[in-house]
Amino acid sequence: MGSDRISLSPLVWGHWRLPEWNLSQHELLYLTQQCIDIGITTIDSADIYGNYSCEKLFGDALALKPEVRNQIQIVTKCGIRLISDRFPDVTTKHYDYSYNHIVSSVEQSLKNFRTDRIDLLLLHRPSPLLNPEEVATAFKHLKCTGKVLHFGVSNFLPHQTELLQSFLNIPLEVNQIEVSPLQLEHLHNGNLDYMMQKRIIPMAWSPLGGGRILNPKSETEKRIAKTIHKISGETKLLPEQVAISWLATHPAGIIPVVGSGKFERIKNAFLALKTKLTTQQWFQVYSASIGKEVP
């Protein structure tokens, strides 16, 4: 792989719902240190999370003990422009991958996190107006100035990643996608195969299907939940651990993003990575998801 590639923890702690956890700065710092102590050092955020508030909430907690910054990798994203009281000029939700927006977004993220570098910057979603040449110019500037160390994308398909990569002389190292027993799209569209071929790390957002694996409503969800509970009984894993282990069993090296403010849940997800499902157990979950046995 080469030592200049990014090194991430096997599980990523997601901050999408950070404001909902209602943690004080000291509580958030303590939870961060608990995560670091067991080996979870990668934090996933985005400029827009929490109506543009999550980065600063975490930065304020880090400021209480600045040396913690050097023990973690900060991942953030840019490119989505929300309708928000913070930006009265935005009247339509849209994507903006202009040079000026990418650079100014990163500079704001650096201020929010109170840091001098972002470890990994992801483009949040593909845009029909993405100009790869302009993005490449922004990435080159951010890399040369040391403001961003590594780059990637989120929710990109292989041809979109390939197009952008063709304009870059630095590798796109990560693609953050939605993948879980409830969301098989990237197993079927060639994206995970492509990432294995190109040595791109797949990061999985919503690995528990937004909680629907534990609180199933649709027929598909109930079918998957029943199978997961069966495997839970066989393996002594909690049902949510079975779902995480199902991802960890895939050969692409999928890194789940777990967004919880409760250490016990984060720790349980992390421990689940140590258990691989058998091939038959993996296909039991897969078959429950597609609603039939494989051909």
Side-chain angles (χ1 to χ4, degrees), residues 60-244:
D60 289 348
L62 284 181
L64 298 173
K65 195 175 179 186
E67 61 267 31
V68 171
R69 170 64 187 98
N70 293 326
Q71 298 175 274
I72 61 172
Q73 304 85 43
I74 290 178
V75 181
T76 198
K77 310 176 197 76
C78 71
I80 299 177
R81 303 293 307 273
L82 296 181
I83 299 170
S84 164
D85 50 3
R86 297 182 183 232
F87 296 99
D89 59 315
V90 176
T91 56
T92 302
K93 183 182 176 184
H94 64 283
Y95 307 137
D96 185 350
Y97 291 118
S98 64
Y99 174 90
N100 286 342
H101 180 69
I102 292 171
V103 171
S104 64
S105 180
V106 166
E107 284 170 353
Q108 185 58 53
S109 293
L110 293 172
K111 282 188 194 128
N112 291 341
F113 287 121
R114 306 196 195 197
T115 186
D116 61 348
R117 80 254 181 224
I118 299 298
D119 295 282
L120 174 64
L121 177 71
L122 306 179
L123 301 187
H124 208 147
R125 286 192 175 272
S127 168
L129 288 181
L130 187 146
N131 179 337
E133 200 166 6
E134 191 156 358
V135 172
T137 306
F139 279 11
K140 184 179 177 185
H141 165 77
L142 293 167
K143 179 80 171 172
C144 290
T145 52
K147 290 174 181 175
V148 176
L149 306 184
H150 302 272
F151 298 86
V153 291
S154 184
N155 305 298
F156 273 51
L157 294 171
H159 66 278
Q160 295 162 331
T161 308
E162 189 81 11
L163 170 65
L164 181 56
Q165 184 63 73
S166 71
F167 283 80
L168 292 167
N169 60 3
I170 46 179
L172 295 168
E173 297 181 52
V174 169
N175 188 359
Q176 189 176 123
I177 54 175
E178 184 182 9
V179 57
S180 75
L182 287 173
Q183 176 52 275
L184 305 180
E185 176 191 355
H186 299 284
L187 276 78
H188 295 158
N189 64 11
N191 211 358
L192 282 169
D193 302 318
Y194 172 80
M195 285 188 247
M196 282 195 277
Q197 181 193 356
K198 299 295 184 182
R199 311 297 192 269
I200 294 169
I201 299 167
M203 221 183 255
W205 61 268
S206 211
L208 301 178
R212 288 174 296 139
I213 283 174
L214 305 178
N215 299 293
K217 291 187 173 62
S218 73
E219 285 311 306
T220 301
E221 289 164 11
K222 286 173 184 170
R223 204 168 51 234
I224 294 168
K226 185 180 175 185
T227 305
I228 281 176
H229 277 85
K230 179 179 96 54
I231 296 169
S232 172
E234 296 166 0
T235 57
K236 304 295 182 276
L237 292 171
L238 297 166
E240 59 263 37
Q241 289 181 306
V242 173
I244 296 291

